[in-house]
Amino acid sequence: MGMLETSHIIIGIVILLIIFFILLYNSLIRKKNNCEQSWSGIAVQLKRRYNLIPNLINTVQGYAKHEKETLEKITKARTAAMSAKSMKDHEKAENMLSSTLKSLFALSENYPDLKANENFLHLQEELSDTEDKIQASRKFYNNTVKNYNTAIQSIPTNIVAKICSFKEKEFFELEKPEEAKPVETKF
Amino acid sequence: MHHLDLSGLPIHEQIRKNRWKTAYLFIIFPIIIIGLTYIGLLISLAETNDPISFANTMIQTVGFWVLIGVFIWSLISYFWGSKMIMAFAGAKPIKKSDNPTLFRVVENASIAAGLPKTPGIYIIDDHSLNAFATGTSPKNAKVAISKGLLEKLEKNELQAVMSHEIGHVINRDIRVMLLAVTLVGAIQMIGEILIRSRGRRSGKGGAPLVLIGFLFITIGVLIGTLTKLAISREREYLADATGAHLCNNPNALASALEKISQDARLEVLDKKASMSGLCIADPSAKAHMHHKKLKEGKQKLSLWQKAWSSHPPITDRINRLRRF
């Protein structure tokens, strides 16, 4: 009798542990999915920016023939951003893109005709809105990453994370728009 | 009502702490219902000869009505609450082309908060300065802002105010407040039903019901209302912290609140006192007086005045935000 009871208790404990493990595993999966979903939120906004740029360059070319260098820099930054593989490369390329765009808009002050072009104004507005939305979605992404990383680091989820090899995710850091300096351009 | 001084903690921690503070306030409601029924029973039992059959009657009557009452009330406020609120406030939905700036501000705050979609955006045709959020889940959330406030705020302040409202949405405050309002309403309704039940019941059987009903609509409603207000105040601090976090700019929210405190009065909401908890600042005439008083004399509100307010003193909120 005693043996039977003990084995029942042990089986009971094992089943409880398995259930507990499953619950923790599912919570980690949920948090990981949150990160991926929020990353796609950033990707949507970044893509919107890539798509607006060729249009912008076409518009500016007609008015500001002397700003070839700046326009080339933007195109280069865009290509680099689109082909970035690691998170660090991505951050660098996107920051570069933001600051080249910023310097283009600063230069546009010298071209009254360009500044009066409706298409240009529209693109400028769209791009600054996209910039804001990139910052907003980045904020949400970093929150979900923080949530996920904290779960991986804290007891008892860290045990499950270790067994099932959940890896911490990287934050996506961008310069604040007001901190990004326009790139120097020669005249 | 005292508040923990959380000023030294990062915003995330404040939000976490505040969530727990509200959760235990809700325990008061079942305590009121069960406690008052018990007291009513105790008093009446002393005069009854047959306690067992009496107890059975109580379960069938009181228990049944409590369930039905809470259920009906929850349904009404859950499904019609937020629609009625917009109608009461005279708020009209706008399209993106009507006010692109406002639209983008709300879009960005929703993205930063990770809402599944941008809430419906409404404008209240009123020159006073107020804003509120409604909707039972982030999916059907709506935010409204008065014309007066829209004109008066700088862009960063508008971002802060809308972030505060989005804060109410992600913290599920609308649901929490509807629940609190519903519970107080249910206590009152049950009390009234119990008192009226005297007519249908002959003689001594009805007396305890009337007594319990009386306790419900006096002490029950009183404590329930005070609890509801306490929950509302905590949620307001929480939305301030969340909003400041979302827009990265506690100072803009503080300066927006300073402007709002000049004239937060919304006459259209006078008959909907339960709604004031959803506004960024208390829209009632009484609160308008408090705002003035705080502004001019630097006087403090008494404990009594604080306990009967749906929002913490606006100067307290501003000071907390300035310290972030």
Side-chain angles (χ1 to χ4, degrees), chain B residues 267-279:
Chain B
E267 283 85 355
V268 284
L269 295 184
D270 276 356
K271 281 177 197 140
K272 290 291 279 181
S274 58
M275 258 199 68
S276 62
L278 305 175
C279 295

Side-chain angles (χ1 to χ4, degrees), chain A:
Chain A
M1 275 304 268
M3 282 278 281
L4 197 65
E5 269 172 21
T6 320
S7 66
H8 278 176
I9 289 169
I10 291 171
I11 291 170
I13 289 173
V14 169
I15 289 174
L16 276 180
L17 279 177
I18 291 173
I19 291 173
F20 195 50
F21 187 91
I22 292 172
L23 288 177
L24 292 179
Y25 179 85
N26 286 348
S27 85
L28 275 174
I29 288 285
R30 199 178 54 242
K31 288 182 173 118
K32 194 173 165 221
N33 286 344
N34 282 344
C35 295
E36 272 146 29
Q37 207 183 337
S38 61
W39 175 259
S40 68
I42 299 183
V44 168
Q45 300 305 334
L46 292 177
K47 192 160 181 241
R48 185 174 158 213
R49 180 151 83 168
Y50 303 148
N51 291 342
L52 286 167
I53 287 171
N55 216 336
L56 177 77
I57 288 178
N58 281 339
T59 312
V60 175
Q61 260 169 354
Y63 292 89
K65 298 206 170 53
H66 307 296
E67 309 301 347
K68 225 176 167 182
E69 200 190 336
T70 312
L71 294 179
E72 271 166 12
K73 270 188 182 159
I74 293 177
T75 314
K76 242 169 90 183
R78 174 177 177 266
T79 320
M82 286 174 81
S83 57
K85 292 281 182 298
S86 77
M87 195 65 105
K88 285 274 159 290
D89 286 349
H90 219 136
E91 285 167 6
K92 242 171 100 183
E94 294 298 340
N95 279 332
M96 189 67 190
L97 189 55
S98 297
S99 47
T100 47
L101 281 171
K102 202 168 180 180
S103 53
L104 176 72
F105 290 126
L107 280 174
S108 72
E109 299 293 330
N110 303 333
Y111 301 90
D113 289 347
L114 177 62
K115 285 243 8 164
N117 182 303
E118 229 166 78
N119 197 18
F120 177 75
L121 289 176
H122 174 72
L123 283 167
Q124 188 173 17
E125 208 179 278
E126 286 286 301
L127 277 164
S128 94
D129 179 46
T130 313
E131 178 86 45
D132 290 344
K133 288 199 165 59
I134 292 171
Q135 292 293 344
S137 50
R138 186 185 64 91
K139 175 155 218 158
F140 180 55
Y141 170 75
N142 284 347
N143 268 339
T144 56
V145 169
K146 189 175 170 201
N147 198 2
Y148 172 67
N149 288 353
T150 308
I152 287 186
Q153 290 159 4
S154 39
I155 300 171
T157 22
N158 62 343
I159 301 165
V160 180
K162 198 144 209 176
I163 295 171
C164 305
S165 57
F166 281 90
K167 294 269 173 328
E168 281 184 37
K169 283 187 179 288
E170 280 180 280
F171 291 104
F172 188 52
E173 306 288 0
L174 289 178
E175 285 167 13
K176 299 260 168 58
E178 57 270 24
E179 289 160 12
K181 290 188 190 75
V183 171
E184 291 284 324
T185 35
K186 283 169 266 165
F187 287 93

Side-chain angles (χ1 to χ4, degrees), chain B residues 58-90:
Chain B
M58 289 321 284
I59 296 291
Q60 283 162 18
T61 52
V62 180
F64 178 74
W65 283 113
V66 168
L67 278 180
I68 294 284
V70 171
F71 185 69
I72 293 175
W73 261 97
S74 315
L75 278 185
I76 291 176
S77 59
Y78 201 85
F79 287 108
W80 290 287
S82 90
K83 273 175 206 146
M84 277 169 15
I85 283 165
M86 283 301 177
F88 263 109

